[in-house]
Amino acid sequence: MKTEKLEFDVIVVGAGMAGSTAAAIAAREGLKVAVIERGQKPGAKNYFGGALYTHALVDIYPDFFDRQPPLERPVTETGFWFLSNDGVVKATVQGGLVDNDPVDAFVALRSEFDLWWSEQAAAEGAFIIPKTLVTDFLFEDGRVNGVKTDRPQGDLYAPVVIICEGVNNLLTQKLGLIDHDVKINATALAVKQLISLPAKDINARLGLPDSNHGMAISVMGDVSMGLSGLGFLYTANSALSLGVGVTLDALQESGLKPYELLQRYLEHPVIAPLIKDGQMMEYGAHLIPEGGWTTMPRLYTDGVLVAGDAASMVNALHWEGTNMAITAGKQAGLAAVEAHKKGDFSAKTLSVYQDRLSELFVLKDLKQYRKMSAFLKNHPNFMDIYPTFLNDALGMFFTGFGKPKGDLYKKIFRSLTSRRPLLKAVGDLVALGRAVIGI
Ligand SMILES: Cc1cc2nc3c(=O)[nH]c(=O)nc-3n(C[C@H](O)[C@H](O)[C@H](O)COP(=O)(O)OP(=O)(O)OC[C@H]3O[C@@H](n4cnc5c(N)ncnc54)[C@H](O)[C@@H]3O)c2cc1C
């Protein structure tokens, strides 16, 4: 039996944040777009902390909030918690610049949000194909002109393929756009639990006035057991999302199991009361491509663009991944549209994608933070010594009643220098500054 050749203008691999965005933008401009997703449905395979960022969402759909998106709590308080083994210093901000309408970030559950986000792409005209794995590419005259899938007669043809396959970028590797597998020193494994709790308990325990207030917290110190990594806490409507991510090589060297780290975090004396009597709803693990700029593949070639985690577009310090994926997805969609207008799908035409991203926060920030991953690995003190010192120093300062303050400051100073000689501590701060500024 002769089967019809399945032809599209654009094929997108992966219906995550990057993929559904690229599809929506290209379909909106009248292109025939297929999005191929290996999960049972979009979102089924996706997992994060986490918060979505308003700027990226409204950039794609200016009427985003009128569409009744499945969001959890707005982020009205955010910042760092520095854990010692039995205490915490909280450096969070609420009100002021965080009190925007709408706020700048919303907590979300990806299983729900990604499905909804893909439905918005479908409403623009994109054709979503779930339960289908893209296994390889099709070529004509040495150029990609489609994909092979795991379905019988599952070849699909298009002059542009946008790879949004996420962190495990096997197809990107297959095309030779990057010459290595996931790098264990630049990739974190994050483990997380979503713990269900009555909203009133969440509010009372975290000091939130009501359920229209929420938190996004990065946790440093006694959460990663001295390994290069960060923890997090996010408030959903009736659940807390708590997790910890550490680099794969640090995990391997330490011999620790990821679930041991998470368990220890959940049993920490500051964290345990927050989740008391909660029910675990989800437990999962996911990789984060923290290498950013240093592990980025080539972003385009003839007939192909790469966006999102597949292209290592994550700023781990700021937990920015979804907004990079959405912004890159949009630019990939636009580049595909321009290529169709020209009738030219060469790397030269598609290079406009990288040019545009270079002018936006995506490549600007990834380039600026290119030394951050190596910095964190080489300065484990920021994961244990300094958070503990901060707890001790403030603890001493605020309990130094009735003591000569000269002695108090000497004690605080000794508490630092007994852990880290002063010159080395100054050197650590300078190195942090250089990693942040990117010099
Ligand atoms: C624990 C954790 C916390 C995080 N917290 C935050 C946060 O708070 N804020 C934030 O902005 N970012 C956060 N991130 C990062 C963010 O989740 C990612 O950067 C973002 O999801 C990347 O989107 P993407 O579309 O590139 O990839 P993904 O969302 O991973 O989507 C890739 C899709 O491709 C599909 N796929 C893969 N291969 C194939 C194939 N061969 N064929 C068909 N389909 C395929 C997958 O099933 C998946 O649906 C966090 C990540 C983790 C792990």
Side-chain angles (χ1 to χ4, degrees):
M1 195 176 76
K2 202 171 167 226
T3 49
E4 203 184 322
K5 194 173 170 189
L6 290 170
E7 287 182 297
F8 293 87
D9 296 324
V10 180
I11 292 170
V12 179
V13 182
M17 299 273 67
S20 291
T21 308
I25 295 295
R28 187 181 290 170
E29 296 298 321
L31 297 186
K32 191 177 167 197
V33 183
V35 188
I36 309 175
E37 167 57 46
R38 68 184 167 145
Q40 284 291 315
K41 52 186 182 181
K45 299 262 179 200
N46 298 352
Y47 210 65
F48 85 151
L52 301 171
Y53 304 110
T54 307
H55 77 94
L57 304 165
V58 299
D59 184 43
I60 307 305
Y61 301 107
D63 62 346
F64 173 76
F65 290 103
D66 299 333
R67 295 175 176 232
Q68 299 184 316
L71 296 172
E72 301 283 312
R73 294 180 188 229
V75 175
T76 55
E77 182 172 347
T78 186
F80 281 105
W81 286 5
F82 300 97
L83 291 186
S84 65
N85 63 348
D86 56 359
V88 62
V89 169
K90 297 181 179 179
T92 66
V93 52
Q94 54 178 303
L97 294 177
V98 178
D99 189 18
N100 293 314
D101 183 19
V103 295
D104 297 286
F106 286 83
V107 177
L109 303 176
R110 293 288 296 280
S111 53
E112 291 171 15
F113 191 86
D114 284 24
L115 178 60
W116 181 85
W117 194 244
S118 76
E119 286 166 358
Q120 308 312 299
E124 299 281 358
F127 186 51
I128 316 277
I129 308 171
K131 294 186 248 178
T132 306
L133 180 76
V134 174
T135 54
D136 209 340
F137 297 94
L138 298 163
F139 294 89
E140 189 178 0
D141 301 331
R143 289 179 170 212
V144 170
N145 76 334
V147 296
K148 291 183 183 183
T149 69
D150 62 350
R151 292 201 181 211
Q153 282 119 33
D155 291 356
L156 276 76
Y157 294 84
V160 189
V161 176
I162 306 179
I163 306 177
C164 304
E165 61 181 334
V167 54
N168 201 9
N169 57 3
L170 300 173
L171 294 168
T172 309
Q173 292 170 37
K174 205 162 206 167
L175 266 189
L177 296 175
I178 192 159
D179 62 1
H180 57 76
D181 198 353
V182 160
K183 284 219 161 158
I184 65 166
N185 60 350
T187 308
L189 178 68
V191 272
K192 165 189 136 164
Q193 280 192 23
L194 188 67
I195 298 169
S196 151
L197 280 164
K200 65 174 179 27
D201 288 347
I202 294 178
N203 299 340
R205 292 174 188 185
L206 288 166
L208 296 165
D210 56 41
S211 303
N212 287 322
H213 291 76
M215 280 186 175
I217 305 293
S218 294
V219 184
M220 286 182 82
D222 197 60
V223 54
S224 61
M225 296 181 76
L227 308 181
S228 174
L230 279 180
F232 57 82
L233 180 155
Y234 291 91
T235 51
N237 288 331
S238 302
L240 290 180
S241 165
L242 289 133
V244 51
V246 294
T247 52
L248 289 168
D249 63 340
L251 258 184
Q252 197 178 51
E253 283 160 23
S254 70
L256 287 164
K257 305 273 181 299
Y259 60 82
E260 290 171 348
L261 272 181
L262 180 58
Q263 200 49 41
R264 199 169 157 280
Y265 175 41
L266 299 181
E267 286 168 7
H268 188 281
V270 169
I271 303 296
L274 300 177
I275 53 174
K276 187 168 172 285
D277 298 329
Q279 299 292 319
M280 186 174 64
M281 292 165 71
E282 270 180 35
Y283 190 122
H286 203 287
L287 296 175
I288 306 179
E290 293 194 340
W293 185 266
T294 59
T295 49
M296 189 172 282
R298 245 193 102 187
L299 297 181
Y300 61 89
T301 185
D302 291 329
V304 175
L305 296 157
V306 192
D309 276 15
S312 216
M313 293 174 178
V314 168
N315 182 336
L317 192 64
H318 293 260
W319 293 108
E320 284 187 290
T322 57
N323 56 345
M324 293 209 171
I326 290 171
T327 306
K330 173 183 172 181
Q331 294 305 330
L334 289 174
V337 170
E338 286 179 37
H340 269 280
K341 281 187 182 148
K342 281 187 176 176
D344 174 1
F345 307 98
S346 65
K348 188 163 176 282
T349 298
L350 294 178
S351 66
V352 66
Y353 167 60
Q354 180 163 322
D355 296 344
R356 300 256 164 82
L357 287 183
S358 302
E359 288 158 18
L360 297 168
F361 75 104
V362 178
L363 292 188
K364 280 191 174 169
D365 286 1
L366 291 174
K367 188 171 181 195
Q368 180 175 328
Y369 278 63
R370 67 195 178 282
K371 295 184 178 161
M372 187 53 79
S373 167
F375 165 80
L376 290 175
K377 182 171 168 51
N378 297 331
H379 293 81
N381 300 331
F382 284 89
M383 306 299 152
D384 49 17
I385 287 181
Y386 295 127
T388 306
F389 164 69
L390 204 56
N391 275 266
D392 288 353
L394 289 174
M396 284 186 249
F397 185 89
F398 288 107
T399 57
F401 311 117
K403 292 173 194 156
K405 299 301 173 275
D407 293 349
L408 175 68
Y409 291 127
K410 274 185 205 149
K411 211 170 150 196
I412 291 176
F413 185 68
R414 271 198 307 274
S415 148
L416 172 66
T417 51
S418 63
R419 294 175 165 112
R420 188 88 174 139
L422 187 60
L423 276 180
K424 290 210 156 105
V426 171
D428 289 344
L429 275 182
V430 171
L432 172 64
R434 290 172 68 100
V436 169
I437 297 167
I439 50 170

